[in-house]
Amino acid sequence: MTTLESLKALFEASLTPSPTVITIGLAIVFLVPILVHFLFTAATPYTTLPSVLLIGPSGAGKTALLTLFERGPLYRPDQPPSEKPTVAAPIAQTHTSQVPSAVELSVSSTATDYRTDLDAAGAAARKFLLVDTPGHPKLRRHALARLSAAHPTLTPAAIPGNATATPSGGAETGKSKLKALVFVVDAAALADPDSGALAAAAEYLYEVLLALQRRAQKARGSRAPAAVPVLVAANKLDLFTALPAALVKSQLEGEVGRIRKARSKGLLDSGVGVDDEVGGQGEEADGWLGAYGSEKFSFREMLEFDVEVEVVGGSVLGEGPGADKWWKWIGERV
Ligand code: GDP
């Protein structure tokens, strides 16, 4: 009886306008929506997903690689070629699409290849976005613009099966932190001196490395952004004409070195860097890739800017070494 009476008194008090009731009412009206908002944004998995960018010239195998990793658990290297999953997946038509495609993938901390059963790995699996970019020279600016930004972000509307990341400048909801770059090259085309593939790949790689270097230079003095390591994936090693990874490395270093020399000559001819010295080496040093003044270019020079470059061979199709080493490299960096 007393409980009923005290409940009744409480109910009446809650309906009687008083400062306490009004304060509690206002608190509920304002705090509940805020709490609900935080609960939902925290539960959205891809707001802070790390991302890995696939970059490189057209025809190198980026789309094929994205598809392979996406379909990983179904892929069996012992399948006859006719039964292997086709690479023309609907999500990844980079040659017809002008925006990057992205897929959400998971890597387990114990997984050494992408065929591991991630359901079994459970909570130990880490999710990340693999983002494909168009290799056509006219469409590269989005990828390059992102790299030179101090805090490169991607804006994915990433849902497995069909996903596109909007190019930079779009409505930015749900940012993703760039963790690594995979620069895919066609090691078979590089072996053919008449194809022009070596010059094309080196030109693009030069631009990519310079963008990462500028980003590091911009960040000096401020809170440095996390370094973005680069994997040069020497693809198509299933083809007997393909160059082995060590040769892909030396050929690319040689060609990037030649481009660097030609560009610095361009800077000198334009008068920049001779009279406009700022801080000792001036703009000439700013536009110089790697260790300033070094004769031969080597990827090791990029460590000066915290950019680790590693060349690893593999294959997406055929009876080659496969893509396990690339997957492992990515897994260690997301
Ligand atoms: P992208 O332009 O870099 O996205 O290149 P694609 O993924 O469209 O691949 C270009 C071509 O190379 C396609 O015909 C693929 O089937 C082929 N390709 C990709 N990876 C391999 C590989 O490891 N070995 C061989 N032999 N062909 C490959």
CSV table of all heavy atoms in Angstrom, one decimal, residues 122-179:
chain,number,residue,atom,x,y,z
A,122,GLY,N,37.9,-15.5,-36.3
A,122,GLY,CA,37.1,-14.7,-35.4
A,122,GLY,C,37.6,-13.3,-35.2
A,122,GLY,O,37.9,-12.6,-36.1
A,123,ALA,N,37.6,-12.9,-33.9
A,123,ALA,CA,37.9,-11.5,-33.5
A,123,ALA,C,39.3,-11.1,-33.8
A,123,ALA,O,39.6,-9.9,-33.9
A,123,ALA,CB,37.6,-11.3,-32.0
A,124,ALA,N,40.2,-12.1,-34.1
A,124,ALA,CA,41.6,-11.8,-34.4
A,124,ALA,C,41.7,-11.1,-35.7
A,124,ALA,O,42.8,-10.6,-36.1
A,124,ALA,CB,42.4,-13.0,-34.2
A,125,ALA,N,40.7,-11.3,-36.6
A,125,ALA,CA,40.8,-10.7,-38.0
A,125,ALA,C,40.7,-9.2,-38.0
A,125,ALA,O,39.9,-8.6,-37.3
A,125,ALA,CB,39.7,-11.3,-38.8
A,126,ARG,N,41.5,-8.6,-38.8
A,126,ARG,CA,41.5,-7.1,-38.9
A,126,ARG,C,40.9,-6.8,-40.3
A,126,ARG,O,41.3,-7.4,-41.3
A,126,ARG,CB,42.9,-6.5,-38.7
A,126,ARG,CG,43.5,-6.7,-37.4
A,126,ARG,CD,44.8,-6.0,-37.3
A,126,ARG,NE,45.7,-6.3,-38.3
A,126,ARG,CZ,46.5,-7.4,-38.3
A,126,ARG,NH1,46.4,-8.2,-37.3
A,126,ARG,NH2,47.3,-7.7,-39.3
A,127,LYS,N,40.0,-5.8,-40.3
A,127,LYS,CA,39.4,-5.5,-41.6
A,127,LYS,C,40.2,-4.3,-42.2
A,127,LYS,O,40.7,-3.4,-41.5
A,127,LYS,CB,38.0,-5.0,-41.3
A,127,LYS,CG,37.0,-6.2,-41.1
A,127,LYS,CD,35.6,-5.8,-41.0
A,127,LYS,CE,34.7,-7.0,-41.0
A,127,LYS,NZ,33.3,-6.6,-40.8
A,128,PHE,N,40.2,-4.3,-43.5
A,128,PHE,CA,40.8,-3.1,-44.2
A,128,PHE,C,40.2,-3.0,-45.6
A,128,PHE,O,39.5,-3.9,-46.0
A,128,PHE,CB,42.3,-3.3,-44.3
A,128,PHE,CG,42.8,-4.3,-45.2
A,128,PHE,CD1,43.2,-4.0,-46.5
A,128,PHE,CD2,42.9,-5.7,-44.8
A,128,PHE,CE1,43.6,-5.0,-47.4
A,128,PHE,CE2,43.3,-6.7,-45.7
A,128,PHE,CZ,43.7,-6.3,-47.0
A,129,LEU,N,40.4,-1.9,-46.2
A,129,LEU,CA,39.8,-1.7,-47.5
A,129,LEU,C,41.0,-1.8,-48.5
A,129,LEU,O,42.0,-1.2,-48.4
A,129,LEU,CB,39.3,-0.2,-47.7
A,129,LEU,CG,37.9,0.1,-47.1
A,129,LEU,CD1,37.6,1.5,-47.3
A,129,LEU,CD2,36.9,-0.8,-47.9
A,130,LEU,N,40.7,-2.5,-49.6
A,130,LEU,CA,41.7,-2.6,-50.7
A,130,LEU,C,41.1,-1.7,-51.8
A,130,LEU,O,40.0,-2.0,-52.3
A,130,LEU,CB,41.9,-4.0,-51.1
A,130,LEU,CG,43.0,-4.2,-52.1
A,130,LEU,CD1,44.4,-3.8,-51.6
A,130,LEU,CD2,43.1,-5.7,-52.6
A,131,VAL,N,41.8,-0.7,-52.2
A,131,VAL,CA,41.2,0.3,-53.2
A,131,VAL,C,42.0,0.2,-54.5
A,131,VAL,O,43.2,0.4,-54.5
A,131,VAL,CB,41.2,1.7,-52.6
A,131,VAL,CG1,40.6,2.7,-53.5
A,131,VAL,CG2,40.6,1.7,-51.2
A,132,ASP,N,41.3,0.0,-55.6
A,132,ASP,CA,41.9,-0.1,-56.9
A,132,ASP,C,41.8,1.3,-57.5
A,132,ASP,O,40.9,2.1,-57.3
A,132,ASP,CB,41.0,-1.1,-57.8
A,132,ASP,CG,41.7,-1.4,-59.0
A,132,ASP,OD1,42.9,-1.0,-59.2
A,132,ASP,OD2,41.1,-2.2,-59.8
A,133,THR,N,42.8,1.7,-58.2
A,133,THR,CA,42.8,3.0,-58.9
A,133,THR,C,43.0,2.9,-60.4
A,133,THR,O,43.7,1.9,-60.8
A,133,THR,CB,43.9,3.9,-58.3
A,133,THR,OG1,45.2,3.3,-58.6
A,133,THR,CG2,43.8,4.2,-56.8
A,134,PRO,N,42.5,3.7,-61.2
A,134,PRO,CA,42.7,3.6,-62.6
A,134,PRO,C,44.1,3.9,-63.0
A,134,PRO,O,44.7,4.8,-62.4
A,134,PRO,CB,41.8,4.7,-63.2
A,134,PRO,CG,41.0,5.2,-62.1
A,134,PRO,CD,41.7,4.9,-60.8
A,135,GLY,N,44.7,3.1,-63.9
A,135,GLY,CA,46.1,3.3,-64.2
A,135,GLY,C,46.3,4.2,-65.3
A,135,GLY,O,47.5,4.6,-65.6
A,136,HIS,N,45.2,4.6,-66.0
A,136,HIS,CA,45.4,5.5,-67.2
A,136,HIS,C,46.0,6.8,-66.8
A,136,HIS,O,45.5,7.4,-65.8
A,136,HIS,CB,44.0,5.7,-67.9
A,136,HIS,CG,44.2,6.3,-69.2
A,136,HIS,ND1,44.3,7.7,-69.4
A,136,HIS,CD2,44.2,5.8,-70.4
A,136,HIS,CE1,44.4,7.9,-70.7
A,136,HIS,NE2,44.3,6.8,-71.3
A,137,PRO,N,47.0,7.3,-67.5
A,137,PRO,CA,47.7,8.6,-67.1
A,137,PRO,C,46.7,9.7,-66.8
A,137,PRO,O,46.9,10.5,-65.9
A,137,PRO,CB,48.6,8.9,-68.3
A,137,PRO,CG,48.8,7.6,-68.9
A,137,PRO,CD,47.6,6.7,-68.7
A,138,LYS,N,45.6,9.8,-67.6
A,138,LYS,CA,44.7,11.0,-67.4
A,138,LYS,C,43.9,10.9,-66.1
A,138,LYS,O,43.3,11.8,-65.7
A,138,LYS,CB,43.8,11.1,-68.6
A,138,LYS,CG,44.4,11.6,-69.8
A,138,LYS,CD,43.4,11.8,-70.9
A,138,LYS,CE,44.2,12.3,-72.2
A,138,LYS,NZ,43.4,12.0,-73.4
A,139,LEU,N,43.8,9.7,-65.6
A,139,LEU,CA,43.0,9.5,-64.4
A,139,LEU,C,43.8,9.3,-63.1
A,139,LEU,O,43.3,9.0,-62.0
A,139,LEU,CB,42.1,8.2,-64.6
A,139,LEU,CG,41.2,8.3,-65.8
A,139,LEU,CD1,40.5,7.0,-66.0
A,139,LEU,CD2,40.2,9.4,-65.7
A,140,ARG,N,45.1,9.5,-63.2
A,140,ARG,CA,46.0,9.3,-62.1
A,140,ARG,C,45.9,10.4,-61.0
A,140,ARG,O,46.4,10.2,-59.9
A,140,ARG,CB,47.4,9.1,-62.5
A,140,ARG,CG,47.7,7.8,-63.2
A,140,ARG,CD,49.1,7.8,-63.8
A,140,ARG,NE,49.3,6.7,-64.6
A,140,ARG,CZ,50.3,6.4,-65.3
A,140,ARG,NH1,51.3,7.3,-65.3
A,140,ARG,NH2,50.4,5.4,-66.1
A,141,ARG,N,45.5,11.5,-61.4
A,141,ARG,CA,45.7,12.7,-60.5
A,141,ARG,C,45.0,12.5,-59.2
A,141,ARG,O,45.5,13.0,-58.2
A,141,ARG,CB,45.2,14.0,-61.2
A,141,ARG,CG,43.8,14.0,-61.5
A,141,ARG,CD,43.4,15.1,-62.6
A,141,ARG,NE,42.2,14.7,-63.2
A,141,ARG,CZ,41.0,15.0,-62.8
A,141,ARG,NH1,40.9,15.6,-61.6
A,141,ARG,NH2,39.9,14.6,-63.4
A,142,HIS,N,43.9,11.8,-59.1
A,142,HIS,CA,43.2,11.6,-57.9
A,142,HIS,C,44.0,10.8,-56.9
A,142,HIS,O,44.2,11.2,-55.7
A,142,HIS,CB,41.9,10.8,-58.1
A,142,HIS,CG,40.8,11.5,-58.7
A,142,HIS,ND1,40.4,12.8,-58.3
A,142,HIS,CD2,40.0,11.3,-59.8
A,142,HIS,CE1,39.5,13.3,-59.1
A,142,HIS,NE2,39.2,12.3,-60.0
A,143,ALA,N,44.6,9.7,-57.4
A,143,ALA,CA,45.5,8.9,-56.6
A,143,ALA,C,46.7,9.7,-56.1
A,143,ALA,O,47.0,9.6,-54.9
A,143,ALA,CB,45.9,7.6,-57.3
A,144,LEU,N,47.3,10.4,-57.0
A,144,LEU,CA,48.5,11.2,-56.7
A,144,LEU,C,48.2,12.3,-55.7
A,144,LEU,O,48.9,12.6,-54.8
A,144,LEU,CB,49.2,11.7,-57.9
A,144,LEU,CG,49.9,10.7,-58.7
A,144,LEU,CD1,50.3,11.2,-60.1
A,144,LEU,CD2,51.1,10.1,-58.0
A,145,ALA,N,47.0,13.0,-55.9
A,145,ALA,CA,46.6,14.1,-55.0
A,145,ALA,C,46.5,13.6,-53.6
A,145,ALA,O,46.8,14.3,-52.6
A,145,ALA,CB,45.4,14.7,-55.5
A,146,ARG,N,45.9,12.4,-53.5
A,146,ARG,CA,45.7,11.8,-52.2
A,146,ARG,C,47.0,11.6,-51.4
A,146,ARG,O,47.1,11.7,-50.2
A,146,ARG,CB,45.0,10.5,-52.3
A,146,ARG,CG,43.6,10.5,-51.8
A,146,ARG,CD,43.1,9.1,-51.8
A,146,ARG,NE,41.8,9.1,-52.5
A,146,ARG,CZ,41.5,8.3,-53.5
A,146,ARG,NH1,42.3,7.4,-53.9
A,146,ARG,NH2,40.3,8.3,-54.0
A,147,LEU,N,48.0,11.1,-52.2
A,147,LEU,CA,49.3,10.7,-51.6
A,147,LEU,C,50.0,11.9,-51.0
A,147,LEU,O,50.7,11.8,-50.0
A,147,LEU,CB,50.2,10.0,-52.6
A,147,LEU,CG,49.6,8.7,-53.2
A,147,LEU,CD1,50.7,8.1,-54.1
A,147,LEU,CD2,49.3,7.8,-52.1
A,148,SER,N,50.0,13.0,-51.7
A,148,SER,CA,50.8,14.1,-51.3
A,148,SER,C,50.1,14.9,-50.1
A,148,SER,O,50.8,15.7,-49.5
A,148,SER,CB,51.2,15.1,-52.4
A,148,SER,OG,50.0,15.3,-53.2
A,149,ALA,N,48.9,14.6,-49.9
A,149,ALA,CA,48.2,15.2,-48.7
A,149,ALA,C,48.9,14.7,-47.5
A,149,ALA,O,49.3,13.6,-47.4
A,149,ALA,CB,46.7,14.9,-48.7
A,150,ALA,N,48.9,15.6,-46.5
A,150,ALA,CA,49.6,15.2,-45.2
A,150,ALA,C,48.9,14.1,-44.5
A,150,ALA,O,49.6,13.2,-44.0
A,150,ALA,CB,49.7,16.4,-44.3
A,151,HIS,N,47.6,14.0,-44.6
A,151,HIS,CA,46.9,12.9,-44.0
A,151,HIS,C,46.0,12.3,-45.0
A,151,HIS,O,44.8,12.7,-45.1
A,151,HIS,CB,46.0,13.4,-42.8
A,151,HIS,CG,46.9,13.9,-41.7
A,151,HIS,ND1,47.5,13.1,-40.8
A,151,HIS,CD2,47.3,15.2,-41.4
A,151,HIS,CE1,48.3,13.8,-40.0
A,151,HIS,NE2,48.1,15.1,-40.3
A,152,PRO,N,46.5,11.5,-45.9
A,152,PRO,CA,45.7,11.0,-47.0
A,152,PRO,C,44.5,10.2,-46.5
A,152,PRO,O,44.7,9.3,-45.6
A,152,PRO,CB,46.6,10.1,-47.8
A,152,PRO,CG,47.8,9.9,-47.0
A,152,PRO,CD,47.8,10.9,-45.9
A,153,THR,N,43.3,10.4,-47.0
A,153,THR,CA,42.2,9.7,-46.6
A,153,THR,C,41.4,9.2,-47.8
A,153,THR,O,41.5,9.8,-48.9
A,153,THR,CB,41.2,10.5,-45.8
A,153,THR,OG1,40.9,11.7,-46.5
A,153,THR,CG2,41.8,10.9,-44.4
A,154,LEU,N,40.7,8.1,-47.6
A,154,LEU,CA,39.8,7.7,-48.7
A,154,LEU,C,38.4,7.7,-48.2
A,154,LEU,O,38.1,7.7,-47.0
A,154,LEU,CB,40.1,6.2,-49.0
A,154,LEU,CG,41.6,6.0,-49.5
A,154,LEU,CD1,41.9,4.5,-49.5
A,154,LEU,CD2,41.7,6.5,-50.9
A,155,THR,N,37.5,7.9,-49.1
A,155,THR,CA,36.1,8.0,-48.7
A,155,THR,C,35.3,6.8,-49.3
A,155,THR,O,34.8,6.9,-50.4
A,155,THR,CB,35.5,9.3,-49.2
A,155,THR,OG1,36.4,10.3,-48.8
A,155,THR,CG2,34.2,9.6,-48.5
A,156,PRO,N,35.3,5.7,-48.6
A,156,PRO,CA,34.6,4.6,-49.2
A,156,PRO,C,33.2,4.5,-48.9
A,156,PRO,O,32.7,4.8,-47.8
A,156,PRO,CB,35.4,3.4,-48.5
A,156,PRO,CG,35.7,4.0,-47.2
A,156,PRO,CD,35.8,5.5,-47.3
A,157,ALA,N,32.4,4.0,-49.9
A,157,ALA,CA,31.1,3.6,-49.7
A,157,ALA,C,31.2,2.1,-49.8
A,157,ALA,O,30.6,1.5,-50.7
A,157,ALA,CB,30.1,4.2,-50.7
A,158,ALA,N,32.1,1.5,-49.0
A,158,ALA,CA,32.5,0.2,-49.3
A,158,ALA,C,31.6,-0.9,-48.7
A,158,ALA,O,31.5,-1.1,-47.5
A,158,ALA,CB,33.9,0.0,-48.7
A,159,ILE,N,31.0,-1.6,-49.6
A,159,ILE,CA,30.3,-2.8,-49.2
A,159,ILE,C,30.8,-3.9,-50.1
A,159,ILE,O,30.9,-3.7,-51.3
A,159,ILE,CB,28.8,-2.6,-49.4
A,159,ILE,CG1,28.5,-1.5,-50.4
A,159,ILE,CG2,28.1,-2.3,-48.1
A,159,ILE,CD1,27.1,-1.5,-50.9
A,160,PRO,N,31.1,-5.0,-49.5
A,160,PRO,CA,31.6,-6.1,-50.3
A,160,PRO,C,30.6,-6.4,-51.4
A,160,PRO,O,29.4,-6.5,-51.2
A,160,PRO,CB,31.8,-7.3,-49.3
A,160,PRO,CG,31.9,-6.6,-48.0
A,160,PRO,CD,31.0,-5.3,-48.1
A,161,GLY,N,31.1,-6.7,-52.6
A,161,GLY,CA,30.2,-7.0,-53.7
A,161,GLY,C,30.1,-5.9,-54.7
A,161,GLY,O,30.2,-6.1,-55.9
A,162,ASN,N,29.8,-4.7,-54.2
A,162,ASN,CA,29.7,-3.6,-55.1
A,162,ASN,C,30.1,-2.3,-54.3
A,162,ASN,O,29.3,-1.9,-53.5
A,162,ASN,CB,28.4,-3.5,-55.7
A,162,ASN,CG,28.4,-2.4,-56.8
A,162,ASN,OD1,29.4,-1.9,-57.1
A,162,ASN,ND2,27.2,-2.0,-57.2
A,163,ALA,N,31.2,-1.8,-54.6
A,163,ALA,CA,31.6,-0.7,-53.8
A,163,ALA,C,32.4,0.3,-54.6
A,163,ALA,O,33.2,-0.1,-55.4
A,163,ALA,CB,32.4,-1.2,-52.6
A,164,THR,N,32.2,1.5,-54.4
A,164,THR,CA,33.1,2.5,-55.0
A,164,THR,C,33.5,3.5,-54.0
A,164,THR,O,32.7,3.9,-53.2
A,164,THR,CB,32.4,3.3,-56.2
A,164,THR,OG1,31.1,3.7,-55.7
A,164,THR,CG2,32.2,2.4,-57.4
A,165,ALA,N,34.8,4.0,-54.1
A,165,ALA,CA,35.2,5.0,-53.2
A,165,ALA,C,35.2,6.3,-54.0
A,165,ALA,O,35.6,6.3,-55.1
A,165,ALA,CB,36.7,4.8,-52.8
A,166,THR,N,34.6,7.3,-53.5
A,166,THR,CA,34.5,8.6,-54.3
A,166,THR,C,35.9,9.2,-54.3
A,166,THR,O,36.6,9.1,-53.4
A,166,THR,CB,33.5,9.6,-53.6
A,166,THR,OG1,34.0,9.9,-52.3
A,166,THR,CG2,32.1,9.0,-53.5
A,167,PRO,N,36.2,9.8,-55.5
A,167,PRO,CA,37.5,10.5,-55.5
A,167,PRO,C,37.5,11.6,-54.5
A,167,PRO,O,36.5,12.1,-54.1
A,167,PRO,CB,37.5,11.1,-57.0
A,167,PRO,CG,36.3,10.6,-57.6
A,167,PRO,CD,35.4,10.0,-56.6
A,168,SER,N,38.8,12.1,-54.2
A,168,SER,CA,38.9,13.1,-53.2
A,168,SER,C,38.1,14.3,-53.6
A,168,SER,O,38.0,14.7,-54.8
A,168,SER,CB,40.4,13.5,-53.0
A,168,SER,OG,40.9,13.9,-54.3
A,169,GLY,N,37.5,15.0,-52.6
A,169,GLY,CA,36.7,16.1,-52.9
A,169,GLY,C,35.2,15.8,-52.8
A,169,GLY,O,34.4,16.7,-52.8
A,170,GLY,N,34.9,14.6,-52.8
A,170,GLY,CA,33.5,14.2,-52.7
A,170,GLY,C,33.0,14.4,-51.3
A,170,GLY,O,33.7,14.8,-50.4
A,171,ALA,N,31.7,14.0,-51.1
A,171,ALA,CA,31.2,14.2,-49.7
A,171,ALA,C,31.9,13.3,-48.8
A,171,ALA,O,31.9,12.1,-49.0
A,171,ALA,CB,29.7,13.8,-49.7
A,172,GLU,N,32.6,13.8,-47.8
A,172,GLU,CA,33.5,13.0,-47.0
A,172,GLU,C,32.8,12.5,-45.7
A,172,GLU,O,32.6,13.2,-44.7
A,172,GLU,CB,34.7,13.9,-46.6
A,172,GLU,CG,35.5,14.3,-47.7
A,172,GLU,CD,36.9,13.7,-47.8
A,172,GLU,OE1,37.4,13.3,-46.8
A,172,GLU,OE2,37.4,13.5,-48.9
A,173,THR,N,32.3,11.3,-45.9
A,173,THR,CA,31.8,10.6,-44.7
A,173,THR,C,32.5,9.3,-44.5
A,173,THR,O,32.7,8.6,-45.4
A,173,THR,CB,30.3,10.3,-44.9
A,173,THR,OG1,30.2,9.6,-46.1
A,173,THR,CG2,29.4,11.5,-44.9
A,174,GLY,N,33.0,9.0,-43.3
A,174,GLY,CA,33.6,7.8,-43.0
A,174,GLY,C,35.0,7.8,-43.7
A,174,GLY,O,35.2,7.2,-44.7
A,175,LYS,N,36.0,8.4,-43.0
A,175,LYS,CA,37.3,8.4,-43.6
A,175,LYS,C,38.1,7.2,-43.3
A,175,LYS,O,37.9,6.6,-42.3
A,175,LYS,CB,38.0,9.7,-43.1
A,175,LYS,CG,37.4,10.9,-43.7
A,175,LYS,CD,38.2,12.2,-43.3
A,175,LYS,CE,37.7,13.3,-44.1
A,175,LYS,NZ,38.3,14.6,-43.7
A,176,SER,N,39.0,6.9,-44.1
A,176,SER,CA,39.8,5.7,-43.9
A,176,SER,C,41.3,6.1,-44.0
A,176,SER,O,41.7,6.9,-44.9
A,176,SER,CB,39.5,4.7,-45.0
A,176,SER,OG,40.5,3.7,-45.1
A,177,LYS,N,42.1,5.5,-43.2
A,177,LYS,CA,43.5,5.9,-43.1
A,177,LYS,C,44.4,5.1,-44.1
A,177,LYS,O,44.3,3.9,-44.0
A,177,LYS,CB,44.0,5.8,-41.7
A,177,LYS,CG,45.3,6.6,-41.5
A,177,LYS,CD,45.5,6.8,-40.0
A,177,LYS,CE,46.6,7.9,-39.9
A,177,LYS,NZ,46.8,8.4,-38.7
A,178,LEU,N,45.2,5.7,-44.9
A,178,LEU,CA,46.0,5.0,-45.9
A,178,LEU,C,47.2,4.4,-45.1
A,178,LEU,O,47.9,5.0,-44.5
A,178,LEU,CB,46.5,6.0,-46.9
A,178,LEU,CG,47.3,5.4,-48.0
A,178,LEU,CD1,46.6,4.4,-48.8
A,178,LEU,CD2,47.9,6.5,-49.0
A,179,LYS,N,47.3,3.0,-45.3
A,179,LYS,CA,48.3,2.3,-44.5
A,179,LYS,C,49.5,1.9,-45.4
A,179,LYS,O,50.6,1.7,-44.9
A,179,LYS,CB,47.7,1.1,-43.9
A,179,LYS,CG,46.9,1.3,-42.7
A,179,LYS,CD,47.7,1.7,-41.5
A,179,LYS,CE,46.9,1.8,-40.3
A,179,LYS,NZ,47.7,1.9,-39.1
